Amino acid sequence: MNIVTIGGVTVGLCILAHYVTTWWPGMKALRKDPAKHAAALLPFLAAWAYGVLTILGVGGLIGWIADTTLWISNWLGDVALVWGVGGQAGQNVARATYLPLTQTGGALVLILTVGLIAAVKKSQHGSDIKRGAWCGITLGTSAGVAGFAAVPLAQAANWLGATVYGAFA
């Protein structure tokens, strides 16, 4: 598993800031129909949760893609920090511990991957889904704002996987 750097977290937060800024309908529109505008966040948030799950130690091709995405994000963010604002790169900001996925939790991530690929190809929200997954991968192991979600998401995936596969046993 790759470790996220400040540059990687910065990339994730930039994706989040861009998405929220482009989503923001304005206070008047939000007060008029909050449910409609909140529902527009669901594809991004669901994909964000998926991205967090994939970086939690999923192996194989899915884990390799998540690790590679994190590595590239770390590199891009570190370059942007050094050359863009004169900062320093490579500082470790990863969580000290995380809850790994069980075998059935990993199987659930595989099922979610198939659904995510289909949603990206068929949904009008394909761009939101891709950005949400990327954001989740970059923030999933961070110790800051988003790191708190890793354990509950892993527990939910493990429980749901055990429940689904327990029904077939």
Side-chain angles (χ1 to χ4, degrees):
M1 182 175 102
N2 281 329
I3 296 173
V4 69
T5 65
I6 289 177
V9 171
T10 301
V11 168
L13 291 173
C14 286
I15 294 167
L16 183 61
H18 179 269
Y19 184 78
V20 170
T21 301
T22 57
W23 162 82
W24 182 252
M27 191 56 85
K28 185 176 179 180
L30 193 57
R31 285 185 181 152
K32 184 177 179 182
D33 194 359
K36 173 186 167 191
H37 295 294
L41 292 173
L42 291 179
F44 182 88
L45 293 176
W48 183 88
Y50 168 81
V52 171
L53 285 174
T54 61
I55 203 63
L56 288 177
V58 174
L61 182 61
I62 297 169
W64 179 80
I65 291 169
D67 285 345
T68 302
T69 302
L70 181 59
W71 177 80
I72 290 169
S73 299
N74 285 339
W75 184 82
L76 287 171
D78 289 344
V79 167
L81 287 173
V82 170
W83 292 96
V85 295
Q88 294 181 7
Q91 298 168 342
N92 183 348
V93 293
R95 291 176 55 92
T97 60
Y98 64 93
L99 180 67
L101 295 173
T102 62
Q103 185 177 9
T104 55
L108 183 68
V109 170
L110 179 61
I111 294 166
L112 291 173
T113 300
V114 171
L116 185 97
I117 291 169
V120 165
K121 289 185 175 204
K122 292 291 185 177
S123 173
Q124 67 183 13
H125 302 287
S127 174
D128 297 343
I129 294 168
K130 287 186 236 178
R131 287 186 289 166
W134 186 10
C135 185
I137 288 170
T138 59
L139 297 179
T141 57
S142 69
V145 177
F148 74 93
V151 171
L153 284 172
Q155 287 175 336
N158 290 340
W159 172 82
L160 186 58
T163 302
V164 167
Y165 283 95
F168 294 107

